[in-house]
Amino acid sequence: MDLQDEVLQEAEDLAKRSALYQSRLPPPLVNHSRLSAVAEDELLDECNEIWKELGELAVLLARERALLAELSVQKNRVPKPLPINQEVLTCLGKQELQNADKQLEMILSCVRTKKKSLQEQLEREQKWLQEQLELEKTLQEKHEDQQQNFLTLSENSVIQKMKMKMEKVTLEKENLLTALGNFLDVHYPPPSEVEATGKKKRLAPKRGENTANLITFHEILEHLMTKSMKSPQDPYVEVSESFWPPYVEALLRYGVVSRHPEDPHRIRLEDFHE
């Protein structure tokens, strides 16, 4: 009996069981009035689904029995012994060796192909790596050159700015010194000129006073500034006979200089920056 006959037999058994089940059902609780079309359709759909499930179950049961039968046959089958003929054994051995040789050749061919592909890929990767290393080296050299150029430009820029500032300060200093000199020439002329012009009687030298060795107001300030710059730890200048007393008094009166606290014959330029 094949599988189809078994399925038909299972279906007949299920139909008989269903008919038996229908005969044993209790009487319906409702009257036999005709159902609506929708209710009939739903009922038919449910019946079809149930029959479909029953059919699938029957098929599965039939397959299970078929597999169990085949398993029983395989367990009870006695394997056929190999032929004792040497030529047959040799022929079978050669055939097996040829089959194995073919399989091994196919495997070897696949391995060689894979190896070749991997070697090519390795060469490409090594070439790409070499290019990246060269590119990195080039970029590093460019970076170092750019950095060196930047440092050089920065240094040159700083030096240039310092030179410009120095020139500006020097020019301002010269302008200030020129303005100071003009101011002193006008308001504090040399003692000889004061004596000759007779201007500013309070600054005029006394009679009989020798003005040939007296230095100018400008020169007194230069002595004081030079001393303050060269030796700030001892900025005092000795008031010699070449310092005209009216000029020294004017500097003391206006707070430009101050006397030494222990030696009144020594004066220094005040620290205006403090």
Side-chain angles (χ1 to χ4, degrees):
M1 181 181 293
D2 57 3
L3 181 58
Q4 186 176 3
D5 294 336
E6 291 181 358
V7 172
L8 291 175
Q9 185 65 36
E10 289 291 335
E12 290 178 359
D13 293 340
L14 287 173
K16 290 179 180 179
R17 291 176 186 175
S18 178
L20 182 60
Y21 175 75
Q22 289 291 337
S23 63
R24 294 180 181 178
L25 288 176
L29 299 177
V30 296
N31 55 9
H32 294 280
S33 60
R34 185 176 180 80
L35 298 176
S36 63
V38 177
E40 288 182 359
D41 293 338
E42 292 180 355
L43 185 58
L44 288 174
D45 292 338
E46 291 180 2
C47 291
N48 291 331
E49 290 293 331
I50 293 173
W51 279 110
K52 184 177 180 181
E53 292 177 0
L54 291 174
E56 292 177 356
L57 180 60
V59 172
L60 292 175
L61 291 173
R63 287 182 179 177
E64 181 183 4
R65 278 196 294 273
L67 291 173
L68 291 174
E70 175 137 3
L71 177 61
S72 176
V73 171
Q74 292 294 336
K75 286 182 178 180
N76 297 326
R77 189 179 70 175
V78 179
K80 296 180 181 181
L82 292 174
I84 305 176
N85 192 347
Q86 190 67 27
E87 294 180 359
V88 176
L89 292 175
T90 304
C91 182
L92 290 174
K94 288 182 179 180
Q95 186 176 0
E96 290 294 330
L97 288 175
Q98 289 176 357
N99 293 334
D101 184 53
K102 289 181 180 180
Q103 292 179 357
L104 291 174
E105 285 181 357
M106 292 175 63
I107 295 173
L108 180 60
S109 177
C110 293
V111 170
R112 287 177 177 174
T113 305
K114 186 66 176 178
K115 179 182 177 182
K116 184 178 180 181
S117 177
L118 291 175
Q119 286 180 346
E120 293 177 354
Q121 184 177 359
L122 177 62
E123 291 176 358
R124 289 195 298 269
E125 294 292 336
Q126 288 178 347
K127 184 178 180 181
W128 179 82
L129 178 61
Q130 187 65 27
E131 292 176 354
Q132 294 298 317
L133 291 175
E134 292 177 358
L135 180 60
E136 182 183 2
K137 183 179 179 181
T138 305
L139 292 176
Q140 185 68 25
E141 292 176 355
K142 283 188 177 181
H143 174 69
E144 292 177 357
D145 293 339
Q146 293 291 336
Q147 190 173 8
Q148 186 65 30
N149 293 334
F150 176 76
L151 293 175
T152 304
L153 291 174
S154 300
E155 292 176 358
N156 293 336
S157 177
V158 171
I159 294 173
Q160 189 67 22
K161 288 181 180 179
M162 291 181 65
K163 286 183 179 180
M164 293 176 64
K165 289 182 179 179
M166 289 292 294
E167 292 177 357
K168 186 177 180 180
V169 170
T170 303
L171 182 60
E172 290 180 357
K173 176 186 174 183
E174 292 178 356
N175 293 333
L176 289 174
L177 291 177
T178 302
L180 179 62
N182 294 333
F183 176 82
L184 295 177
D185 291 340
V186 173
H187 298 281
Y188 296 93
S192 58
E193 294 182 6
V194 173
E195 183 181 5
T197 58
K199 296 180 180 180
K200 299 182 180 180
K201 294 182 179 181
R202 62 185 178 86
L203 293 178
K206 299 178 181 180
R207 289 186 177 182
E209 185 178 2
N210 185 12
T211 60
N213 296 328
L214 297 177
I215 60 178
T216 63
F217 197 92
H218 195 180
E219 291 173 339
I220 293 174
L221 290 177
E222 284 184 356
H223 279 299
L224 291 170
M225 288 188 290
T226 302
K227 185 67 174 176
S228 298
M229 293 295 293
K230 288 186 176 180
S231 57
Q233 72 279 0
D234 184 22
Y236 291 94
V237 175
E238 187 75 25
V239 179
S240 62
E241 295 179 354
S242 61
F243 284 44
W244 196 25
Y247 285 167
V248 176
E249 292 176 1
L251 292 172
L252 290 171
R253 184 169 57 253
Y254 294 118
V256 179
V257 298
S258 60
R259 292 187 185 275
H260 195 278
E262 297 179 358
D263 188 0
H265 297 288
R266 300 179 67 191
I267 60 175
R268 59 162 292 177
L269 193 67
E270 286 289 350
D271 295 329
F272 296 101
H273 62 278
E274 294 182 355

